[in-house]
Amino acid sequence: MNNTSDTAHNEAREPAVLSRSAAETQALVERSLRRRYRAEQRFQAYGMAAVLSGVVFVIFLFGTILLQGISVFQQSYVKLEIFYDPEVIDPTGERDPDVLVTANYQPLVRDALRERFPEVSGRRATRELYRILSSAASLDLQQRVVANPLLIGQRETRWVLVDDNVDMLLKGKVDRDAPEDARRLSDEQVAWIDELEAAGVLKLRFNRSFFSNGDSRDPEQAGVRGALTGSLLTLLITLLLSFPIGVGAAVYLEEFAPRNRLTDIIEVNINNLAAVPSIVFGLLGLAVFIGFFGMPRSAPLVGGLVLTLLTLPTIIIASRAALKAVPPSIREAALGMGASRLQMVGHHVLPLALPGMLTGAIIGMARALGESAPLLMIGMVAFIVDVPQGVMDPSTALPVQVFLWSDLPERGFVERTSGAIIVLLLFLLVMNATAVVLRNKFEKRW
Amino acid sequence: MSSAALPVPQGIKTVGTVTVAEPVFSCRDVNVYYGDKHAIKGVNIDIARKQVLAMIGPSGCGKSTFLRCLNRMNDTILGARVEGQIALEGQDIHEKRQDVVQLRARVGMVFQKPNPFPKSIYENVAYGPRIHGLAADRGELDDIVNSSLRRAGLWEEVKDRLNQPGTSLSGGQQQRLCIARTIAVNPEVILMDEPCSALDPIATARIEDLIDELRESYAICIVTHSMQQAARVSQRTAYFHLGDLVEVGETDKIFTNPRAKLTEDYITGRFG
């Protein structure tokens, strides 16, 4: 492969590079090849290391949350035989609902517990004994009696909520060997608890109240229902507003708006808005929706509006990218058939862009679900016991609930914090799975 | 409807006869600019009924640009500006009265790359009649779809799978589907922008046969890179060069006896 014939009529002096033999060239190529393969292997190793460390972190994160939070799905209850004493709850005997609601049911539970420990006497000892019970133990009884006044005067066996300290002991989260004054339970109480446990009347059961209760100062009573409902309502408002507005804005900007200075400015600003810290949106919401429009504080409606502002840029940017990705040949085909611009968009471009738009909505909604900072600004951080019944009721949201509980000193709130995170992640998972299913359904239309 | 050709301005450079009797389209002094680029320079040409006009020329000569003027597809291109008179049946298509949607229903277009809608074969053909309200009921729509597919020579191949996606067809079938879609709205003119450049020779031959049949009903303008194709399907040929319309004439004469030097150089393969 020597190019001597070429060099014959080449006037310039031949550089050495051009007169290499085929074997020499091959040797050079081989050397560079080895270098290239080494570089590639090195690069792959870096990549694998990066992925591996990411996976390790994720496993660690989810592992700790699960380990700490999984115990929240069980709660300690004590089985007691309750006597619905009419003397205590309905001294007048009129079965007046108002009286039944306001009556003090705590003595019923206390008496039932004392029946099990007849040997306990003295003011201090009985008080110690009562502290095994949750202060909310009687709520369940109150609800039962109000629902069914015929129970009064009857005996019934119930599983009654115990104090969070007892719960922690049963879950093995309290060090029994620690000196007595370093524990929240005295040796005496521990002995009673052990006795109850040995008798099989004190044990861990499924924690229904975690899913049916709102927030509480007592860890054993606190649940995520309020925060979950608040998040649900907030996200519903966000989705209902941000998806149509975002898609509409994207379609207009991408397909109809003239390209001029004004639309350029709008485009730049939308991109900037996507990067604005979320707390700023919270301040804006506080000033505009609550300050100016006089909407209620702590309401999911306001939360939804603020999160709509937050999600809009994300949805608009993703939707515009999805519209841009629709091949121009489809647009030409539609226009060439005599479709109007709106028909072109509605019949052909939008169906093809919808999966991409849904992806944008998923990302936006996932971000909105996890936001707590803007919600703090509009008062969704308040301590709210009741489960919200509508978008105007005061409420909190799951991430804010996590934030609130993580701040509390009681041991029981540690597992509740992790438990709320698990619920939040599950919520996210369900939401994203729904969106992915929807997207795939639309995508399958060839 | 009949219309006389518009008067031809004095001193045009185009060789050959640009006018025909009773033209469908009459274009006078058409200029197109893409921003600063002068893509079409003062083109005058008439387009006759029931005849195929082939537009040939080297790449970038403006033949596709000119074709896209005829149904105002250049409107969709940012920065494109069209000047001059383009009269369809005597009425300027740039007049305010002329609705662009209606224009495109009268002047159909087939593109270089087959671009069926990502819908079923039936929906592809039914789309035009549907948006223009050409069928009163489902039965009429079925008739239109049926006859359009027949005329496009596609019926026998697809009659059992009208509900399958149009994109599942082969390239040649897709292009015939696009032609069926175009004739379903019963246009007056069909514009074809290199309709066979993405097809194999057999599919190309089928499309060419089809063009020959369609000529009996429609005026057809075809842009092509293949001089053999122009010679086979067209009755009149226009040769474009760098935005100028160099020569127009009967296809037989252009290919056997070109009068302009540039035309001769191109068809004898000296460049292109």
Side-chain angles (χ1 to χ4, degrees):
Chain A
M1 289 275 179
N2 218 330
N3 45 2
T4 39
S5 58
D6 283 354
T7 46
H9 43 79
N10 201 340
E11 292 170 23
R13 200 158 47 81
E14 180 84 350
V17 175
L18 298 181
S19 54
R20 262 190 208 122
S21 74
E24 280 169 342
T25 311
Q26 287 310 311
L28 283 172
V29 168
E30 216 164 287
R31 247 174 52 203
S32 82
L33 263 183
R34 250 176 286 150
R35 210 168 48 237
R36 275 183 265 172
Y37 284 136
R38 268 203 308 276
E40 193 171 322
Q41 277 167 354
R42 234 175 10 247
F43 181 78
Q44 285 199 7
Y46 294 152
M48 258 151 71
V51 170
L52 213 68
S53 56
V55 168
V56 166
F57 281 128
V58 167
I59 290 176
F60 181 73
L61 173 71
F62 283 89
T64 30
I65 290 174
L66 265 176
L67 273 179
Q68 288 193 353
I70 201 80
S71 55
V72 82
F73 299 111
Q74 287 200 314
Q75 180 74 31
S76 310
Y77 291 86
V78 60
K79 189 160 106 179
L80 294 174
E81 196 178 282
I82 307 286
F83 174 53
Y84 293 101
D85 192 348
E87 297 282 308
V88 179
I89 50 177
D90 192 23
T92 56
E94 287 169 356
R95 305 289 188 261
D96 179 3
D98 289 342
V99 173
L100 293 183
V101 168
T102 51
N104 185 7
Y105 290 79
Q106 202 66 12
L108 302 184
V109 197
R110 289 180 172 174
D111 290 347
L113 186 63
R114 275 199 65 180
E115 275 176 36
R116 282 208 69 94
F117 295 99
E119 75 282 4
V120 176
S121 61
R123 216 181 150 80
R124 200 197 57 82
T126 40
R127 199 141 87 219
E128 288 279 281
L129 181 64
Y130 292 158
R131 278 186 49 203
I132 290 178
L133 296 164
S134 164
S135 58
S138 58
L139 274 178
D140 166 58
L141 304 184
Q142 180 217 27
Q143 279 163 11
R144 285 184 68 77
V145 169
V146 170
N148 181 15
L150 290 176
L151 276 173
I152 296 169
Q154 308 264 325
R155 282 184 169 273
E156 186 186 28
T157 308
R158 294 291 300 164
W159 286 96
V160 179
L161 204 56
V162 298
D163 193 71
D164 59 307
N165 293 319
V166 182
D167 188 47
M168 288 297 114
L169 186 75
L170 253 69
K171 285 172 178 169
K173 293 190 178 179
V174 172
D175 184 9
R176 285 168 175 265
D177 301 328
E180 191 178 11
D181 53 4
R183 278 186 264 123
R184 315 250 325 196
L185 293 170
S186 66
D187 287 343
E188 214 177 0
Q189 285 173 314
V190 172
W192 289 327
I193 292 164
D194 287 344
E195 196 185 326
L196 286 169
E197 211 182 347
V201 292
L202 176 64
K203 60 178 176 186
L204 291 166
R205 309 177 79 218
F206 177 66
N207 188 2
R208 254 183 42 212
S209 58
F210 184 65
F211 297 100
S212 60
N213 287 359
D215 199 3
S216 169
R217 289 288 180 227
D218 295 320
E220 72 269 18
Q221 252 238 105
V224 289
R225 176 78 174 274
L228 190 67
T229 316
S231 269
L232 206 72
L233 292 171
T234 308
L235 281 187
L236 200 71
I237 300 271
T238 309
L239 183 68
L240 287 180
L241 288 175
S242 65
F243 192 62
I245 296 178
V247 169
V251 167
Y252 178 74
L253 285 174
E254 200 57 43
E255 306 286 342
F256 294 95
R259 295 272 183 277
N260 56 30
R261 225 191 165 72
L262 185 70
T263 46
D264 281 350
I265 290 172
I266 290 175
E267 184 163 353
V268 169
N269 274 308
I270 288 173
N271 290 336
N272 284 341
L273 274 181
V276 166
S278 54
I279 197 152
V280 177
F281 286 102
L283 272 172
L284 177 78
L286 178 64
V288 175
F289 300 125
I290 296 178
F292 186 74
F293 288 109
M295 290 181 184
R297 254 169 292 179
S298 310
L301 175 68
V302 182
L305 286 171
V306 168
L307 293 182
T308 299
L309 295 180
L310 185 84
T311 358
L312 264 178
T314 316
I315 294 186
I316 293 177
I317 291 170
S319 300
R320 291 189 68 176
L323 287 169
K324 276 202 186 97
V326 173
S329 64
I330 296 295
R331 292 166 208 270
E332 285 200 324
L335 289 178
M337 286 304 299
S340 68
R341 266 197 119 64
L342 185 64
Q343 284 171 327
M344 171 191 90
V345 173
H347 296 162
H348 304 288
V349 178
L350 216 47
L352 288 173
L354 205 55
M357 293 176 165
L358 279 174
T359 308
I362 296 171
I363 296 169
M365 296 306 288
R367 188 179 164 202
L369 176 65
E371 271 311 335
S372 51
L375 302 184
L376 304 185
M377 300 306 297
I378 55 151
M380 286 184 85
V381 69
F383 172 70
I384 290 147
V385 176
D386 293 326
V387 175
Q389 301 299 313
V391 290
M392 302 295 268
D393 289 356
S395 160
T396 181
L398 275 171
V400 182
Q401 189 71 76
V402 170
F403 165 74
L404 283 171
W405 281 347
S406 70
D407 222 21
L408 294 172
E410 283 92 344
R411 196 74 181 77
F413 277 119
V414 176
E415 61 170 21
R416 272 169 172 71
T417 307
S418 295
I421 294 174
I422 294 174
V423 172
L424 179 65
L425 291 177
L426 282 178
F427 189 168
L428 191 75
L429 209 67
V430 169
M431 197 172 81
N432 285 6
T434 317
V436 168
V437 167
L438 270 177
R439 187 181 62 188
N440 290 350
K441 200 175 152 229
F442 283 120
E443 237 165 16
K444 268 180 203 139
R445 289 173 49 190
W446 46 65
Chain B
M1 228 194 288
S2 71
S3 61
L6 297 168
V8 181
Q10 295 291 308
I12 61 164
K13 286 181 287 177
T14 307
V15 179
T17 323
V18 298
T19 53
V20 297
E22 293 205 8
V24 181
F25 266 114
S26 198
C27 311
R28 293 294 174 265
D29 198 23
V30 177
N31 287 282
V32 181
Y33 305 86
Y34 289 131
D36 295 333
K37 189 172 176 270
H38 198 173
I40 295 283
K41 302 167 185 165
V43 166
N44 296 280
I45 193 169
D46 285 352
I47 295 166
R49 281 156 220 281
K50 302 193 177 182
Q51 210 184 48
V52 179
L53 170 69
M55 303 190 196
I56 58 170
S59 296
C61 67
K63 52 197 188 310
S64 288
T65 301
F66 180 71
L67 190 77
R68 293 168 66 95
C69 290
L70 298 176
N71 66 346
R72 285 177 59 184
M73 281 300 272
N74 283 329
D75 289 13
T76 61
I77 296 170
L78 214 67
R81 203 167 81 248
V82 181
E83 287 171 2
Q85 265 188 314
I86 302 173
L88 171 61
E89 302 287 6
Q91 195 198 332
D92 197 316
I93 63 169
H94 285 109
E95 263 180 40
K96 278 230 171 73
R97 273 192 305 163
Q98 177 62 57
D99 188 87
V100 68
V101 167
Q102 197 196 4
L103 171 71
R104 288 178 189 150
R106 292 171 68 187
V107 184
M109 188 156 190
V110 177
F111 295 86
Q112 183 172 359
K113 217 178 120 231
N115 55 355
F117 298 126
K119 296 178 188 292
S120 72
I121 294 170
Y122 182 94
E123 285 301 319
N124 260 284
V125 185
Y127 184 68
R130 200 171 267 159
I131 58 171
H132 295 300
L134 303 184
D137 54 40
R138 181 77 190 198
E140 281 185 30
L141 196 59
D142 285 348
D143 291 342
I144 293 178
V145 171
N146 186 319
S147 85
S148 304
L149 285 170
R150 273 181 206 285
R151 295 180 65 190
L154 197 58
W155 176 252
E156 289 302 322
E157 292 156 62
V158 302
K159 63 181 176 189
D160 298 323
R161 47 179 179 143
L162 289 176
N163 287 318
Q164 283 181 25
T167 42
S168 69
L169 298 172
S170 74
Q173 289 174 323
Q174 287 191 17
Q175 196 62 299
R176 275 181 283 147
L177 179 63
C178 291
I179 293 174
R181 181 176 74 184
T182 305
I183 57 182
V185 292
N186 201 16
E188 293 158 49
V189 185
I190 300 177
L191 310 177
M192 297 186 175
D193 191 357
E194 298 180 43
C196 303
S197 63
L199 306 181
D200 65 65
I202 295 167
T204 301
R206 294 215 54 170
I207 302 273
E208 286 179 4
D209 289 347
L210 178 59
I211 292 172
D212 213 42
E213 287 166 29
L214 293 176
R215 173 166 66 90
E216 289 164 20
S217 326
Y218 308 104
I220 295 174
C221 281
I222 179 169
V223 165
T224 177
H225 267 295
S226 154
M227 281 175 277
Q228 291 87 341
Q229 184 171 63
R232 282 193 298 264
V233 301
S234 74
Q235 288 74 50
R236 246 170 116 230
T237 298
Y239 174 67
F240 284 78
H241 186 88
L242 296 177
D244 288 312
L245 177 55
V246 176
E247 184 167 353
V248 189
E250 284 172 30
T251 301
D252 299 344
K253 291 193 178 141
I254 289 246
F255 281 99
T256 52
N257 188 19
R259 287 160 59 191
K261 176 81 169 63
L262 280 168
T263 320
E264 191 185 336
D265 288 351
Y266 182 68
I267 62 173
T268 53
R270 238 161 266 168
F271 66 86

